[in-house]
Amino acid sequence: MTGLGQEILTTDESAPTDVEPVRHAFPRTRRREKGYDAAAVDAFLDRARASFESDGTADDAVTAASVRDVSFPLVRGGYVVTAVDSALGRVEDAFAAQERAQALSRLGARAWVEQQRADAQVILDRLSRPRRARFERVSVARYGYRLEEVDLVADKIAGYLADGTGVSVEQVRSVAFRMQRGGYREAQVDALLDAVVEIMLAVG
């Protein structure tokens, strides 16, 4: 792996690049505090590195989506969560750029742009629904995402899709909502946010 890819997957610019497996220099939590299991993080990043180097042709290939969805066990003395999450964001960016280049080569620029427009329009159609009715809601006996908070973020995303400004990919990645009875169904909101991240990374 060269340049950006090596940097984001090792998180240590001074680390040797010819030693296998790569040891990822994340800070660790104190003994009584929990963080991501180091072995699980190292194994995933080593697999991601191999997949990136093979341009996605390796067995069990890693993608931008699988980087975004990965989860790790929490253990005492593990890697600091925020440090790993920050690195994973850069890894996802690198895979998204690679996948964008591959898609452009495969589809051609015009077809690729039309595909992104179509995906964005699907999201805009949902976000144009009336407030408090943009997603399915759970029963009043259950907790879902707070309606007004989701609607506020939805308005900002709709603005971004309309003119390309106002929201960054990091803001979408890190958004969090409080809970309320009868709120929006979490899985549906999360799926839309994932789709927005994919579009933002695809268009660069």
Side-chain angles (χ1 to χ4, degrees), residues 76-109:
R76 296 184 188 280
Y79 285 149
V80 172
V81 169
T82 54
V84 176
D85 286 348
S86 178
L88 288 174
R90 297 193 297 275
V91 173
E92 182 186 355
D93 291 347
F95 274 99
Q98 184 182 73
E99 291 163 16
R100 179 171 63 247
Q102 292 169 344
L104 281 166
S105 176
R106 184 177 67 255
L107 299 174

Side-chain angles (χ1 to χ4, degrees), residues 85 144-154 156-157 167-180 184 186 189-190 193-194 197:
D85 286 348
Y145 287 148
R146 190 176 292 268
L147 303 180
E148 62 268 25
E149 293 182 0
V150 174
D151 283 340
L152 178 61
V153 171
K156 292 181 178 180
I157 289 173
V167 180
S168 71
V169 67
E170 287 304 323
Q171 288 174 317
V172 179
R173 279 175 177 153
S174 62
V175 69
F177 305 109
R178 291 178 292 178
M179 309 294 284
Q180 71 173 82
Y184 284 137
E186 295 174 59
V189 175
D190 290 345
L193 293 176
D194 283 346
V197 169

